[in-house]
Amino acid sequence: MPKPYEELLDKVLIDSDTLQARIAELGREISGDYAGVGDMILAGILKGSTLFLADLMRHVTVPHEIDFMDVAAYGAGSRESDGHVRILMDLHADIEGRHVLIIEDIIDSGHTLAHVLRILSAREPASPKVCTLLDKAERREVPISLAYVGFQIPNVFVFGYGLDLDEYYRNLPFIGIAKT
Ligand code: IMP
Ligand code: MG
């Protein structure tokens, strides 16, 4: 049985109102940037991006499809990714010639996303771009170009709002820092 989250939480890093306000802002920015294109795919990386995608898409006024991809870092279960990633579930859509915006919860070392970008770029989308809710830039091991970033965060382990603590507590409406 999982412990109550109150016992695992050090403190709230980003509260729900702050998250929602920034997500609305991101949605407006994306809507403006893609207005001329008129069509896009929001591609969420499971499972962490689900809450972010659900809230973000409500603020995207450009007609769009949503799709999902599930990837796993080898040695999953650990808090470190080593750069090797396998596809557990691929996108359903054919992205060739389409504008794809990858939706991520958090970019840490950057290995997961670098791998996803390599795979998706090979399919020749009109544009592959990345929108992440959180960016732990300090931890980056591979350079990644991020088109949209919700929040820069320090090198702490966070959970809530899609991010898990050993698979639990993705449902929390805020981003919390886990006790070490
Ligand atoms: P990267 O390949 O090191 O950039 O790792 C990215 C993935 O690691 C994210 O999609 C998350 O699933 C996970 N991750 C990294 N940092 C955290 C964190 O602080 N909390 C929860 N998951 C994290
Ligand atoms: Mg993830």
Side-chain angles (χ1 to χ4, degrees):
M1 276 244 289
K3 284 187 190 168
Y5 81 83
E6 290 89 343
E7 289 178 25
L8 306 166
L9 178 70
D10 176 12
K11 62 176 182 190
V12 173
L13 181 66
I14 310 170
D15 67 29
S16 173
D17 287 351
T18 308
L19 280 173
Q20 293 303 329
R22 179 67 184 129
I23 291 165
E25 226 170 64
L26 284 174
R28 282 192 292 272
E29 207 182 320
I30 291 165
S31 301
D33 293 351
Y34 287 85
V37 166
D39 173 49
M40 64 191 301
I41 300 178
L42 302 179
I45 308 299
L46 295 172
K47 309 169 194 168
S49 70
T50 49
L51 273 68
F52 178 37
L53 176 55
D55 285 336
L56 180 68
M57 66 189 286
R58 287 178 247 220
H59 298 283
V60 175
T61 55
V62 179
H64 59 272
E65 219 178 291
I66 63 165
D67 206 344
F68 295 96
M69 188 170 179
D70 193 3
V71 297
Y74 281 105
S78 76
R79 288 182 177 191
E80 306 279 327
S81 83
D82 64 357
H84 295 272
V85 171
R86 65 200 157 103
I87 298 182
L88 299 180
M89 189 191 91
D90 205 344
L91 296 176
H92 289 209
D94 178 0
I95 62 168
E96 189 181 340
R98 309 278 305 272
H99 292 275
V100 180
L101 185 58
I102 298 168
I103 310 296
E104 255 289 26
D105 50 356
I106 186 166
I107 317 291
D108 189 47
S109 70
H111 286 298
T112 307
L113 198 67
H115 192 85
V116 167
L117 274 169
R118 265 196 304 277
I119 293 168
L120 298 188
S121 296
R123 298 176 189 174
E124 304 187 341
S127 71
K129 289 194 177 174
V130 180
C131 172
T132 185
L133 179 64
L134 307 175
D135 180 18
K136 268 191 214 176
E138 201 186 309
R139 297 257 305 166
R140 199 73 83 257
E141 290 172 16
V142 266
I144 301 264
S145 144
L146 300 174
Y148 307 95
V149 175
F151 302 87
Q152 293 290 343
I153 66 163
N155 183 14
V156 287
F157 197 85
V158 290
F159 71 108
Y161 197 71
L163 294 108
D164 69 301
L165 201 53
D166 300 329
E167 290 302 326
Y168 288 93
Y169 302 125
R170 296 185 192 272
N171 58 313
L172 297 175
F174 55 82
I175 300 281
I177 300 178
K179 280 182 184 160
T180 46

